[in-house]
């Protein structure tokens, strides 16, 4: 396996699109209902937890890109191979692919859960998942530049949903934000820890980095993407805190979607149905990018054509999803995944960065 | 050709698969529940009365009222389905009513099932009925063709004109789930061939504990909320500039109000309530010469005093009933750090809470004549 990837120039895309890629992958299923978990920990100061997690994400993105910059043009698979050698590298790569497939699976299952809970309780899992998967396969088959394009349109075409956050403000009770700064540091950090499931997505940089044309600009646009995400999460948290009363928020599973329940337009009375179905567009880049990264990895390690792996993963997903039927099972899945993901997206980038740095230093010493 | 096939094949499959897979809901084949009423029966069962709107051009009346009994509110819907020719759907539910017995036991379980159902909007109105809801909904009114629509318009109109406090499902749930503010619900009654709103039901958490007349309810909204276009009728004595006493009745409308509630004492809760009320004099019954601007000043003072006295009465009543519909607890909770207030604690404190109240009233204008 080659460490440094030489990507043909017609596969490269402009650096500013990284903003949309990072943002689109971060916003997904977590945002639909992260509020209550954070609120359980930090209560009315939950917004601080959200900001803490945002700042931490900025730092992690910084480290991820620094790690990648140590090599001229490579992805996480190449780095693993270079740092840890053939066997351990392969092992780490396989576990990273496992993580990507798991995130893909979790995103898909959670979105289907929302559809089943809100709109079509009678639709079977296999049907919803296979129709989504066909869309994903179609998206991936059209190549990396189209995938990035999907991310771009997913963000720009769903910005208008943000306007409707103004409606619940009519019922806002600002006293629910007071007294401020009551939560102690530990509960704030706990809240930030529980944000993992919601903020993850920036690890996509590990796999998409070689495809960016101007590599120097990646840092800037990736950071901006994360800041934009944090901005949206913080405002959603504040709106939810003033709109719901404490215990009510703790009982609301999908607070963001519930916010849309008070939007009443002259031509559509129940706006949440539009929001939920429109969410498909927000989910799509998530699914496509995770699946693409996983298939890329398999192609790199085992030399299996990604077209075949996509179908393989899809079939496995449809079979696997049958084991997560009830809300409880989905919750357990989310819990396990959140712990696993916390390690992969927050602890591991730091470790990897340190390893890469040390290796670079040792090499330099050896050379001189 | 091959490329075309591989890229469009999934789309075509999707199209074929997706069409007509979900449960169809054809308007002619469903009955739309627009209003539900719940009564508590003697055997502790819940009787639900559903007003169902049906789209049927041949029927003389497109309203059907179905009553059914079960242990739970949703159970009674299942039971009601047995009596309906069409599939009942609750997506168009607009008003949910509870009789006094249920309200006294607590509306939380009933309001929460409404919120649990994704097909029900959060903006439906919730109200308490004096007497049986079945009687209110089943009565054959002469002038009301559609009782569901009528109730919805009645409550909506009164809420818009700020004659009653907002009582949508979202606001009611927000109140009973928060610590330090209790919900108020409109109180509705059938009187002969008409339906009237007789005031507000005040709650302790989710249980009804008292009633307020519409005039008394004015003060709840004055302290709990703010007025942008309220109105009230007041009768009070006023001394004119020559020292002569008059008894006058005034109607004031387009009332704008703002409030300031401050916690002055934390250990033994004491609040300072500052009310700033502005309004237009719509009607004045009594011998008072308004050409003299000094008389207007005296009138303003008298109105301010009257408002203060009335407000004190209403607060005293609510304190006695131990229902904090004004949201003093919210102020307490938000200004005391690390209070860890619970609902029970607050209601204990609320009973003995002290307050000072000052009302500043200003007449903006007195109409187009003097």
């Amino acid at each position: 396996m080659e460490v440094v990837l030489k990507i043909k120039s017609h596969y490269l895309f402009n650096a500013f699109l990284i903003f949309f890629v990072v943002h689109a992958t971060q916003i997904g299923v977590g945002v639909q209902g992260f509020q209550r978990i954070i609120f359980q920990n930090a209560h009315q100061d939950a917004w601080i937890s959200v900001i803490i997690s945002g700042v931490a994400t900025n730092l992690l993105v910084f480290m991820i890109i620094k790690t990648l910059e140590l090599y001229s043009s490579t992805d996480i698979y190449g780095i693993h191979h270079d740092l840890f050698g053939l066997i351990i590298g392969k092992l780490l790569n396989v576990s990273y692919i496992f993580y990507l497939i798991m995130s893909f699976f979790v995103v898909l299952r959670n979105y289907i859960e929302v559809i089943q809970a809100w709109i079509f309780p009678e639709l079977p899992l296999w049907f919803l998942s296979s129709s989504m998967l066909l869309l994903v396969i179609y998206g991936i088959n059209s190549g990396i530049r189209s995938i990035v394009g999907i991310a771009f349109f997913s963000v720009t075409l769903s910005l208008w949903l943000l306007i409707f956050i103004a409606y619940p403000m009519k019922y806002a009770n600002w006293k629910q934000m007071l007294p401020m700064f009551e939560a102690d540091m530990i509960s704030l950090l706990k809240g930030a820890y529980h944000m993992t499931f919601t903020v993850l997505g920036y690890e996509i940089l590990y796999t998409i980095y070689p495809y960016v044309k101007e590599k120097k600009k990646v840092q800037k646009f990736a950071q901006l993407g994360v800041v934009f995400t944090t901005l949206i999460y913080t405002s959603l948290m504040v709106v939810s805190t003033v709109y719901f009363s404490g215990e009510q928020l703790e009982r609301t599973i999908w607070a963001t979607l519930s916010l849309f329940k008070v939007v009443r337009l002259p031509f559509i009375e129940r706006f949440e149905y539009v929001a939920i179905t429109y969410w498909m567009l927000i989910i799509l880049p998530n699914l496509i990018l995770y699946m693409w990264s996983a298939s890329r990895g398999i192609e790199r390690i085992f030399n299996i054509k990604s077209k075949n792996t996509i179908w393989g993963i899809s079939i496995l997903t449809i079979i696997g999803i049958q084991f997560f039927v009830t809300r409880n099972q989905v919750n357990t899945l989310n819990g396990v995944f959140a712990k696993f993901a916390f390690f992969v997206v927050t602890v591991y980038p730091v470790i990897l960065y340190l390893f890469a740095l040390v290796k670079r230093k040792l090499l330099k010493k050896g050379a001189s | 050709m091959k490329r075309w096939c591989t890229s469009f094949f999934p789309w075509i499959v999707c199209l074929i698969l997706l069409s007509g897979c979900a449960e169809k809901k054809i308007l002619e084949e469903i009955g739309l529940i627009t209003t539900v009423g719940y009564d508590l029966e003697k055997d502790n069962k819940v009787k639900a009365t559903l007003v169902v709107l049906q789209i049927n051009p041949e029927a003389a009346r497109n309203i059907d009222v179905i009553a059914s009994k079960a242990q739970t509110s949703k159970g009674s819907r299942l039971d009601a389905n047995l009596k309906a020719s069409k599939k009942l759907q609750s997506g168009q539910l607009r008003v949910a009513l509870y009789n006094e017995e249920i309200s006294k036991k607590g509306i939380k379980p009933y309001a929460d099932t409404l919120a649990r159902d994704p097909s029900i909007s959060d903006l439906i109105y919730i109200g308490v009925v004096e007497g049986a809801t079945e009687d209110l909904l089943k009565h054959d009114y002469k002038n009301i063709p559609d009782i569901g629509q009528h109730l919805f318009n009645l409550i909506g109109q009164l809420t818009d004109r700020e004659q009653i406090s907002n009582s949508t499902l979202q606001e009611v749930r927000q109140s009973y789930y928060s610590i330090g503010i209790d919900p108020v619900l409109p109180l509705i009654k059938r009187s002969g061939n008409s339906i009237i709103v007789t005031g507000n039901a005040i709650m302790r958490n989710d249980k009804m504990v008292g009633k307020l007349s519409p005039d008394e309810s004015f003060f709840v909204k004055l302290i709990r909320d703010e007025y942008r276009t309220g109105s009230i009728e007041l009768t009070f004595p006023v001394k004119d500039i020559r020292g002569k006493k008059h008894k006058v009745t005034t109607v004031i409308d387009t009332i704008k109000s703002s409030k300031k509630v401050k916690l002055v004492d934390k250990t033994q809760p004491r609040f300072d309530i500052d009310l700033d009320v502005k309004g237009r004099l719509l009607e004045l019954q009594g011998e008072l010469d308004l050409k003299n601007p000094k008389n207007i000043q005296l009138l303003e003072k008298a109105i301010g005093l009257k408002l203060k006295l009335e407000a004190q009465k209403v607060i005293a009543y609510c304190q006695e009933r131990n229902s904090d519909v004004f949201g003093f607890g919210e102020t307490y909770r938000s200004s005391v750090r690390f209070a860890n207030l619970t609902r029970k604690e607050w209601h204990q404190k609320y009973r003995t809470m002290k307050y000072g109240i000052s009302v500043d009233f200003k007449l903006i204008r007195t109409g187009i004549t003097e």
Side-chain angles (χ1 to χ4, degrees):
Chain A
M1 191 172 98
E2 283 170 49
V3 175
V4 174
L5 280 166
K6 282 197 189 78
I7 309 290
K8 280 178 196 146
S9 68
H10 65 267
Y11 285 128
L12 299 177
F13 61 88
N14 283 325
F16 84 95
L17 286 166
I18 273 290
F19 172 90
F20 297 97
V21 170
V22 169
H23 179 71
T25 336
Q26 277 197 289
I27 298 228
V29 284
V31 65
Q32 295 176 322
F34 67 100
Q35 291 97 328
R36 69 170 186 160
I37 307 156
I38 320 301
F39 189 89
Q40 271 163 9
N41 289 291
H43 295 277
Q44 69 269 31
D45 293 327
W47 61 276
I48 304 175
S49 287
V50 176
I51 291 179
I52 292 176
S53 83
V55 172
T57 311
N58 279 118
L59 283 173
L60 287 164
V61 166
F62 177 79
M63 272 186 226
I64 289 174
I65 296 172
K66 278 281 159 206
T67 319
L68 289 160
E69 276 174 354
L70 291 176
Y71 302 81
S72 62
S73 165
T74 187
D75 51 14
I76 191 169
Y77 307 116
I79 297 176
H80 278 156
H81 186 80
D82 178 56
L83 285 180
F84 304 106
L86 194 67
I87 298 164
I88 302 176
K90 211 168 216 170
L91 214 67
L92 285 169
N93 281 342
V94 170
S95 15
Y96 191 73
I97 290 164
F98 178 69
Y99 162 77
L100 290 170
I101 294 174
M102 196 166 168
S103 345
F104 172 83
F105 187 77
V106 167
V107 171
L108 184 67
R109 181 63 190 97
N110 274 285
Y111 183 60
I112 291 176
E113 178 68 19
V114 169
I115 294 186
Q116 287 184 326
W118 286 74
I119 311 177
F120 298 123
E122 72 280 355
L123 274 192
L125 277 167
W126 67 264
F127 173 75
L128 284 166
S129 50
S130 52
S131 45
M132 292 282 284
L133 280 166
L134 283 175
L135 205 55
V136 171
I137 292 165
Y138 174 60
I140 297 177
N141 278 343
S142 38
I144 179 70
R145 286 176 62 132
S146 304
I147 294 173
V148 174
I150 292 168
F152 172 80
F153 280 112
S154 150
V155 175
T156 46
L157 291 182
S158 44
L159 278 177
W160 61 279
L161 278 175
L162 283 174
I163 302 167
F164 293 98
I165 299 302
Y167 276 77
M169 296 306 275
K170 212 173 102 189
Y171 303 90
N173 177 2
W174 286 96
K175 273 192 188 143
Q176 283 167 5
M177 290 290 288
L178 300 170
M180 268 183 201
F181 313 117
E182 210 183 39
D184 52 38
M185 207 57 208
I186 292 167
S187 30
L188 284 180
L189 288 177
K190 260 191 195 162
Y193 163 74
H194 285 289
M195 278 298 286
T196 316
F197 183 59
T198 316
V199 295
L200 58 82
Y202 50 86
E203 71 278 10
I204 205 71
L205 285 166
Y206 270 141
T207 38
I208 211 160
Y209 184 77
Y211 291 88
V212 188
K213 208 183 276 168
E214 311 102 312
K215 300 234 167 13
K216 273 183 190 148
K217 287 190 189 161
V218 171
Q219 186 73 266
K220 183 170 103 193
F221 287 110
Q223 297 289 359
L224 280 177
V226 172
V227 169
F228 186 49
T229 312
T230 311
L231 223 65
I232 289 175
Y233 287 169
T234 315
S235 43
L236 278 175
M237 192 68 233
V238 171
V239 173
S240 308
T241 316
V242 296
Y243 175 78
F244 300 102
S245 55
E247 211 188 318
Q248 193 190 1
L249 181 56
E250 280 172 32
R251 281 162 187 261
T252 309
I253 304 176
W254 293 284
T256 308
L257 300 180
S258 289
L259 286 178
F260 288 113
K261 274 191 108 178
V262 290
V263 180
R264 189 180 261 176
L265 301 174
F267 52 92
I268 184 148
E269 231 168 63
R270 306 292 301 285
F271 187 76
E272 69 268 24
Y273 286 101
V274 178
I276 292 164
T277 38
Y278 206 86
W279 221 272
M280 172 109 137
L281 195 67
I282 301 175
I283 301 297
L284 197 58
N286 271 278
L287 295 175
I288 291 183
L289 281 161
Y290 278 127
M291 173 87 98
W292 173 82
S293 303
S295 64
R296 252 325 271 159
I298 294 171
E299 192 176 327
R300 293 257 284 147
I301 309 163
F302 303 109
N303 270 326
I304 302 172
K305 276 240 163 183
S306 74
K307 259 188 192 156
N308 303 328
T309 44
I310 295 165
W311 283 98
I313 296 172
S314 300
I315 289 161
L316 281 178
T317 306
I318 295 176
I319 296 168
I321 219 155
Q322 304 301 328
F323 295 102
F324 299 92
V325 180
T326 64
R327 171 88 218 142
N328 247 339
Q329 288 164 334
V330 178
N331 270 344
T332 325
L333 173 72
N334 288 350
V336 172
F337 173 71
K339 282 196 189 100
F340 179 36
F342 178 75
F343 178 77
V344 176
V345 301
T346 62
V347 180
Y348 189 61
V350 183
I351 300 174
L352 195 66
Y353 181 47
L354 291 178
F355 264 102
L357 262 188
V358 169
K359 169 141 198 212
R360 190 43 55 103
K361 285 261 159 73
L362 287 178
L363 269 184
K364 261 190 188 161
K365 250 187 201 159
S368 63
Chain B
M1 189 61 202
K2 202 190 157 209
R3 196 180 152 74
W4 189 89
C5 279
T6 47
S7 55
F8 282 93
F9 177 67
W11 280 107
I12 293 159
V13 173
C14 264
L15 223 95
I16 295 165
L17 280 179
L18 272 170
S19 48
C21 201
E23 189 194 354
K24 270 180 262 178
K25 288 171 186 170
I26 296 165
L27 197 57
E28 282 81 3
E29 288 170 12
I30 55 175
L32 301 166
I33 304 172
T34 56
T35 310
V36 283
Y38 296 110
D39 292 310
L40 198 64
E41 295 285 285
K42 284 200 185 89
D43 52 357
N44 247 345
K45 275 195 172 178
V46 179
K47 185 176 221 172
T49 315
L50 313 175
V51 179
V52 179
L53 181 71
Q54 295 175 340
I55 311 296
N56 186 358
E58 281 145 44
R61 251 164 68 102
N62 41 18
I63 293 300
D64 194 8
V65 182
I66 305 167
S68 59
K69 249 162 104 175
Q71 298 280 8
T72 59
S73 58
K74 284 280 148 71
S76 52
R77 196 176 107 187
L78 290 177
D79 186 48
N81 235 337
L82 300 174
K83 300 174 186 169
S85 60
K86 294 177 175 182
K87 195 164 48 178
L88 295 181
Q89 295 290 332
S90 46
Q92 277 295 323
L93 187 69
R94 303 281 168 113
V95 181
L97 299 171
Y98 305 97
N99 77 344
E100 281 183 65
E101 280 76 54
I102 285 196
S103 313
K104 278 173 188 159
K105 261 185 80 182
I107 58 162
K108 193 158 128 184
Y110 302 97
D112 276 0
T113 49
L114 293 178
R116 189 184 295 278
D117 188 343
S119 69
I120 292 175
S121 161
D122 271 355
L123 292 175
I124 63 168
Y125 291 120
I126 292 189
V128 177
V129 170
E130 286 182 297
T133 61
E134 191 190 359
D135 172 54
L136 179 112
L137 294 174
K138 271 207 163 160
H139 186 79
D140 195 10
Y141 299 92
K142 266 190 205 142
N143 298 322
I144 304 172
D146 179 350
I147 171 89
Q149 192 65 26
H150 182 82
L151 277 167
F152 175 67
N153 289 343
L154 178 73
I155 303 176
Q157 175 273 112
L158 285 172
T159 314
D160 286 348
R161 303 240 0 237
E162 299 192 313
Q163 272 181 289
I164 54 172
S165 291
N166 290 359
S167 64
T168 56
L169 178 62
Q170 154 62 13
E171 282 154 306
V172 171
R173 291 184 76 232
Q174 188 191 39
S175 294
Y176 69 65
Y177 273 125
S178 77
I179 298 162
I181 190 162
D182 291 319
V184 272
L185 300 178
L187 207 54
I188 298 160
K189 202 172 116 183
R190 180 177 78 86
S191 155
N193 263 327
S194 58
I195 295 171
I196 45 175
V197 173
T198 56
N200 271 332
I202 58 170
M203 325 280 279
R204 185 189 310 138
N205 302 328
D206 66 324
K207 294 177 182 64
M208 174 177 163
V209 287
K211 294 177 190 176
L212 294 173
S213 71
D215 280 347
E216 289 167 329
S217 314
F218 174 84
F219 296 95
V220 173
K221 193 168 163 68
L222 196 64
I223 302 172
R224 178 194 180 103
D225 222 345
E226 267 167 7
Y227 273 104
R228 269 171 299 137
T229 165
S231 44
I232 191 173
E233 184 191 83
L234 297 163
T235 306
F236 53 89
V238 59
K239 256 188 196 168
D240 72 4
I241 186 164
R242 289 188 209 107
K244 216 174 127 193
K245 252 194 169 177
H246 299 280
K247 196 170 178 191
V248 294
T249 304
T250 57
V251 176
I252 300 150
D253 78 340
T254 54
I255 292 177
K256 264 192 180 165
S257 78
S258 62
K259 48 138 197 210
K260 253 185 215 142
V261 182
K262 240 168 79 186
L263 180 72
V264 245
D265 189 354
K266 285 179 188 174
T267 44
Q268 170 67 32
R270 202 192 133 78
F271 295 89
D272 260 351
I273 311 157
D274 265 317
L275 296 171
D276 195 21
V277 189
K278 292 188 180 88
R280 175 179 76 164
L281 189 69
L282 195 67
E283 191 175 342
L284 176 77
Q285 297 282 344
E287 308 275 313
L288 191 70
D289 183 16
L290 286 183
K291 271 178 264 176
N292 193 333
K294 280 194 180 144
N295 270 342
I296 292 185
Q297 271 179 16
L298 287 171
L299 186 68
E300 280 180 341
K301 266 207 183 125
I303 292 174
L305 186 69
K306 175 71 182 170
L307 287 174
K308 181 178 160 178
L309 291 174
E310 288 293 322
Q312 280 172 337
K313 263 191 226 165
V314 177
I315 298 177
Y317 172 75
C318 292
Q319 263 186 306
E320 186 247 313
R321 293 290 162 152
N322 206 356
S323 156
D324 184 9
V325 284
F326 309 99
F328 288 119
E330 279 275 282
T331 312
Y332 181 86
R333 187 192 54 75
S334 58
S335 30
V336 179
R337 288 177 151 268
F338 307 108
N340 286 327
L341 200 63
T342 61
R343 280 190 199 96
K344 221 174 168 184
E345 265 172 37
W346 173 245
H347 280 116
Q348 274 164 7
K349 284 197 168 111
Y350 175 69
R351 250 173 200 282
T352 54
M353 156 205 107
K354 301 270 184 304
Y355 61 90
I357 182 165
S358 70
V359 183
D360 183 37
F361 182 81
K362 272 220 167 59
L363 272 180
I364 299 297
R365 54 181 68 85
T366 57
I368 50 170
T369 59
E370 283 199 321

